[in-house]
């Protein structure tokens, strides 16, 4: 496949638009109408674009509408979550083609299920895998894998289901969720914000100027590395802050504070928050303290980034009962910062990974088509 520069530009614009007429493509690509017409012919010949209908213009004349062709292909997004694996297959215009969900230990089967649902004639352009681990900027290609035991073994078990030769890109799961909030969630219309995820672990997705900030080591936002505790006679321990704020310690604190007359202490965070929602005093006290702790962490984030907006996500962070306490503590300790709850929920990571996969898939097609130019 060998395309002119203008055809590659029109393909990228068509993928972003989903469908468009030739005049619309000319306007979006900043090219002349004759140039776009030639580019469309190229794309149709390569089956990268196809006529998909007609649209009536203001003068009463109809114009041909084009969409992506069957050779444009598809991409795969995989969220290797702490409990579940979520997979989405999408066309290069973002259209959802397949999705599957299953247990973390069944990741390979979940991937196979999604792959089987993709159109048989659609080449797979790229795979984005969201992992709960640091991902270095250079971590992409056919032989990539996570660097640590946090995500390495489950990635290896999943990777056997991926077709050989397809580019694979790793991205941090919190960064993916931040992208979902930026484009489809609570941060739409905001170019700079922090996505603070609180659940089993803690993490921060940093968006500056509409782009995720990854850092020199791919470790920007790794809040678990903040020194904690930090006081006279107390030595900071490795990832001690994550241990303190994470869901396991939250449940231990609930168990320690639970009165005998209230029956068994909650065994999951969901149970704890449900009991707090029912007005149980002990549960409300534990959740209130948790909100204060998250507010202090948000104040630390604000002191460094001054993001203007913090989106709270994660299995405990996104619960509506946390929001007011975080807002109050952040207001007490720092300057004015808007705090809102996530609106993309548990699907945020796979949604963001799919968006990233689509972008990389389009890039894969255009780079391959221009390799001979």
């Amino acid at each position: 496949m060998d395309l002119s520069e203008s055809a590659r530009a029109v393909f990228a614009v068509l993928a972003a638009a989903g469908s468009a007429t030739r005049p619309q493509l000319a306007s979006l690509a900043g090219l002349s109408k004759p140039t776009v017409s030639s580019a469309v012919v190229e794309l149709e010949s390569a089956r990268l674009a196809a006529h998909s209908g007609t649209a009536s213009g203001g003068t009463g004349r109809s114009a041909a509408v084009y969409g992506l062709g069957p050779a444009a292909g598809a991409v795969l997004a995989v969220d290797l979550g702490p409990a579940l694996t979520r997979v989405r297959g999408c066309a290069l215009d973002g259209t959802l083609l397949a999705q599957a969900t299953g247990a973390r230990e069944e990741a390979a089967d979940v991937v196979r299920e999604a792959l089987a649902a993709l159109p048989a004639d659609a080449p797979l352009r790229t795979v984005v895998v969201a992992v709960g681990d640091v991902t270095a900027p250079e971590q992409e290609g056919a032989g990539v894998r996570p660097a640590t035991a946090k995500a390495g073994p489950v990635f290896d078990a999943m990777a056997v289901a991926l077709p050989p030769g397809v580019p694979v890109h790793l991205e941090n799961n919190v960064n993916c969720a931040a992208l979902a909030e930026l484009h489809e969630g609570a941060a739409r219309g905001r170019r700079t914000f922090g996505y603070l995820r609180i659940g089993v672990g803690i993490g921060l997705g940093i968006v500056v100027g509409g782009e995720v900030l990854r850092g020199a080591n791919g470790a920007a936002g790794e809040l678990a590395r903040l020194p904690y505790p930090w006081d006279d006679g107390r030595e900071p321990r490795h990832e001690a802050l994550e241990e303190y704020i994470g869901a396991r310690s939250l449940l231990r604190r609930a168990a320690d504070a639970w009165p005998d007359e209230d029956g068994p202490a909650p065994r999951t965070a969901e149970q704890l928050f449900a009991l707090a929602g029912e007005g149980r005093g002990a549960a409300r006290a534990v959740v209130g303290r948790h909100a204060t702790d998250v507010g202090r962490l948000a104040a630390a984030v604000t002191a460094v980034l001054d993001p203007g907006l913090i989106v709270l996500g994660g299995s405990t962070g996104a619960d509506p009962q946390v929001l007011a306490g975080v807002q109050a503590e952040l207001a007490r300790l720092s300057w004015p910062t808007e705090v809102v709850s996530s609106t993309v929920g548990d699907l945020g990571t796979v949604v963001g990974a799919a968006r990233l996969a689509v972008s990389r898939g389009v890039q894969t097609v255009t780079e391959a088509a221009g390799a001979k130019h």
Side-chain angles (χ1 to χ4, degrees), residues 194-364:
Y195 169 77
L196 183 57
R197 173 176 282 183
I198 309 293
V200 175
I202 60 175
L204 177 69
I206 305 167
V207 175
V208 177
E211 300 288 336
V212 170
L213 179 66
R214 293 177 172 84
N217 297 296
E222 287 293 307
L223 298 179
R225 296 300 180 95
L226 284 173
Y228 178 85
W230 198 351
D231 200 356
D232 291 342
R234 305 178 72 189
E235 189 73 15
R237 303 187 314 277
H238 184 68
E239 298 187 350
L241 182 60
E242 182 172 66
E243 179 185 342
Y244 171 75
I245 294 184
R248 294 185 184 91
S249 291
L250 176 64
L251 290 172
R252 283 197 296 269
R253 287 193 290 276
D256 291 342
W258 206 255
D260 293 338
E261 59 270 22
D262 280 7
R267 299 176 63 90
T268 67
E270 291 78 11
Q271 291 176 359
L272 172 64
F273 279 87
L275 291 169
E278 294 172 5
R280 296 284 192 94
R284 292 185 64 183
V286 172
V287 169
R289 176 54 195 266
H290 185 60
T292 298
D293 289 335
V294 175
R296 291 171 182 173
L297 182 57
V301 168
T302 301
V304 176
L305 295 178
D306 186 21
L309 170 68
I310 290 179
V311 179
L312 297 177
S315 58
T316 66
D319 192 283
Q321 297 176 85
V322 171
L323 182 60
V326 174
Q327 292 170 329
E329 189 68 0
L330 178 56
R332 185 180 76 85
L333 294 173
S334 194
W335 39 81
T337 302
E338 185 181 359
V339 185
V340 299
S341 297
S342 165
T343 59
V344 296
D346 294 341
L347 294 178
T349 296
V350 74
V351 167
R355 180 170 285 275
L356 185 59
V358 165
S359 174
R360 289 188 165 269
V362 172
Q363 183 181 353
T364 297

Side-chain angles (χ1 to χ4, degrees), residues 21-36:
T21 63
R22 293 190 188 195
Q24 288 170 336
L25 290 171
S27 176
L28 291 169
L31 298 171
S32 69
K33 291 181 181 179
T35 299
V36 167

Side-chain angles (χ1 to χ4, degrees), residues 38-338:
S38 297
V40 169
V41 170
E42 279 189 71
L43 294 173
E44 285 188 293
S45 297
R47 299 176 69 241
L48 292 172
H51 180 258
S52 62
T54 57
S56 298
T59 61
R61 299 173 61 184
S62 60
V65 176
Y66 295 89
L68 294 184
V75 297
L76 202 69
V78 183
D79 170 20
L80 294 178
L84 295 176
T85 296
R86 293 183 172 91
V87 183
R88 284 193 168 195
C90 296
L92 294 196
D93 62 2
T95 301
L96 182 63
L97 300 174
Q99 58 184 335
T101 302
R104 177 181 171 93
E105 57 271 17
E106 298 169 355
D109 291 335
V110 180
V111 168
R112 291 188 185 100
E113 180 183 344
L115 286 172
L118 293 177
D121 60 346
L124 189 62
R125 297 299 185 181
T126 193
V127 178
V128 168
V129 183
V131 295
D133 202 351
V134 172
T135 58
E138 66 273 12
Q139 281 188 295
E140 55 185 293
V144 67
R145 75 181 297 274
T148 75
K150 275 188 175 181
V154 69
F155 176 87
D156 292 341
M158 177 278 302
V160 299
L162 297 177
V166 178
V168 177
H169 173 77
L170 291 182
E171 183 56 90
N172 177 266
N173 57 355
V174 179
N175 286 346
C176 288
L179 284 173
E181 296 291 350
L182 172 66
H183 294 287
E184 304 179 37
R188 277 180 295 184
R190 305 291 285 266
R191 302 273 296 166
T192 298
F193 69 96
Y195 169 77
L196 183 57
R197 173 176 282 183
I198 309 293
V200 175
I202 60 175
L204 177 69
I206 305 167
V207 175
V208 177
E211 300 288 336
V212 170
L213 179 66
R214 293 177 172 84
N217 297 296
E222 287 293 307
L223 298 179
R225 296 300 180 95
L226 284 173
Y228 178 85
W230 198 351
D231 200 356
D232 291 342
R234 305 178 72 189
E235 189 73 15
R237 303 187 314 277
H238 184 68
E239 298 187 350
L241 182 60
E242 182 172 66
E243 179 185 342
Y244 171 75
I245 294 184
R248 294 185 184 91
S249 291
L250 176 64
L251 290 172
R252 283 197 296 269
R253 287 193 290 276
D256 291 342
W258 206 255
D260 293 338
E261 59 270 22
D262 280 7
R267 299 176 63 90
T268 67
E270 291 78 11
Q271 291 176 359
L272 172 64
F273 279 87
L275 291 169
E278 294 172 5
R280 296 284 192 94
R284 292 185 64 183
V286 172
V287 169
R289 176 54 195 266
H290 185 60
T292 298
D293 289 335
V294 175
R296 291 171 182 173
L297 182 57
V301 168
T302 301
V304 176
L305 295 178
D306 186 21
L309 170 68
I310 290 179
V311 179
L312 297 177
S315 58
T316 66
D319 192 283
Q321 297 176 85
V322 171
L323 182 60
V326 174
Q327 292 170 329
E329 189 68 0
L330 178 56
R332 185 180 76 85
L333 294 173
S334 194
W335 39 81
T337 302
E338 185 181 359

